[in-house]
Amino acid sequence: MAVTTETLETRAAPISAAPTRQRTYRTLRGLGTPLARVLTAGIGIVAVAALWTAVHAAGIFPDILFPGLGDIAAAGAAMWRDGSLRADTLASLDRVIRGFAVGVLVAIPVGALTATTRAGRLIVQPVLRLFAPVPTVALVPLAILWFGLGEGSKQFVIALGVFVPVWINTHSGLSATPADFLKVARCAGASRWRTLVRVVLPEAFPDIVTGLRVGTATAFVLIVVAEMAGTTVGLGYRIAQAQLFSQVDRMIFCLLVLGVLGVLCDQVVARAAAPFIGWDQEER
């Protein structure tokens, strides 16, 4: 058969696809670098800001209900000058951290109890599954009756909201340890405690970290509700006051501050846990 130029090009075509796939793979991996993540996040923020500005300029909503970005920034600057922004941020962050710590310190041991013991599965787990679907917001009046209008009720609400996702993920992670891992540990003569510490916990840690990150987001959702009664400082209180006096610019600025705090705290949890779940990321 005569070999023509067209035949050679046809046969060479599939080979040229390999470098293309490699370039695409490198490009996709490049999107995962810290700088690329910052740039892509910045693009998203700029797009949202542009859309907000366009809607405001179109006059679809009254300015008092849909302020421009300049008005929101001016409201934040005014809160910074009078000192309320710093006081509210520190107060809310303190309540979130305290409530989060209590919720986590209770949820992880309870998750270990329900996942690794027969009594926990038969007695404790059904009770927790009964109350887990109850919205934490609905328990705010009960928390006020039990703990009063002070810090106790606010921390209780946040701790309870954090407890549920952390417990669910801890229980799920500890219950999902492959049976082969447990058999190998038993064959090696490992005790029950050593198996838990060296096999079960490392395997479950990615799920526990997921619960911690969900709990972090939940804590910042609940702080707004918790601070709407019985306090005179906090971002939730400031949002309620802004709603009362139709100060939408201040309300939106406080929501943005809560969002930034939530992202920063989520990243703190993720960075702190990264050394312990590096093996899981490598497998993925």
Side-chain angles (χ1 to χ4, degrees):
M1 181 180 67
V3 180
T4 63
T5 306
E6 182 179 356
T7 305
L8 291 175
E9 290 177 354
T10 303
R11 292 180 179 179
I15 300 176
S16 65
T20 303
R21 287 195 297 268
Q22 292 177 358
R23 287 194 298 270
T24 304
Y25 178 72
R26 286 196 296 267
T27 302
L28 293 175
R29 288 198 62 181
L31 293 176
T33 63
L35 178 59
R37 287 197 295 267
V38 171
L39 291 176
T40 52
I43 292 173
I45 293 173
V46 170
V48 172
L51 178 62
W52 186 283
T53 302
V55 174
H56 177 262
I60 300 174
F61 304 102
D63 288 351
I64 192 173
L65 298 180
F66 201 91
L69 296 179
D71 298 328
I72 296 172
M79 294 173 63
W80 175 262
R81 286 193 298 270
D82 62 25
S84 62
L85 179 60
R86 180 175 180 275
D88 292 336
T89 301
L90 292 178
S92 295
L93 194 58
D94 179 70
R95 290 166 182 147
V96 165
I97 293 174
R98 291 176 184 271
F100 178 82
V102 172
V104 170
L105 291 176
V106 176
I108 292 180
V110 173
L113 177 68
T114 57
T116 61
T117 66
R118 182 177 177 83
R121 287 193 299 270
L122 296 178
I123 300 174
V124 181
Q125 183 180 350
V127 177
L128 293 178
R129 291 201 178 279
L130 176 65
F131 286 99
V134 177
T136 308
V137 176
L139 299 178
V140 172
L142 184 61
I144 293 175
L145 291 176
W146 281 355
F147 300 98
L149 293 173
E151 296 298 313
S153 60
K154 298 168 181 56
Q155 294 175 17
F156 172 78
V157 169
I158 296 171
L160 191 60
V162 171
F163 171 87
V164 174
V166 176
W167 167 69
I168 290 175
N169 282 272
T170 301
H171 175 87
S172 176
L174 293 175
S175 302
T177 305
D180 292 343
F181 290 7
L182 300 178
K183 290 178 181 178
V184 171
R186 284 197 296 268
C187 292
S191 64
R192 185 183 180 89
W193 175 254
R194 190 174 181 83
T195 301
L196 175 65
V197 174
R198 299 297 297 274
V199 178
V200 178
L201 277 178
E203 177 69 18
F205 206 72
D207 293 294
I208 297 174
V209 173
T210 300
L212 294 176
R213 298 183 70 172
V214 175
T216 301
T218 304
F220 279 96
V221 171
L222 293 174
I223 190 62
V224 177
V225 181
E227 289 181 339
M228 285 187 173
T231 184
T232 57
V233 63
L235 292 171
Y237 165 78
R238 200 62 57 188
I239 291 172
Q241 290 297 302
Q243 185 270 336
L244 185 63
F245 295 102
S246 299
Q247 298 172 324
V248 180
D249 49 0
R250 291 198 171 207
M251 184 187 305
I252 294 175
F253 186 83
C254 290
L255 291 173
L256 291 174
V257 173
L258 280 173
V260 172
L261 291 176
V263 170
L264 292 177
C265 290
D266 175 78
Q267 289 302 302
V268 168
V269 173
R271 300 299 180 191
F276 302 98
I277 58 175
W279 62 270
D280 183 68
Q281 300 299 324
E282 290 177 1
E283 286 186 355
R284 294 172 187 269

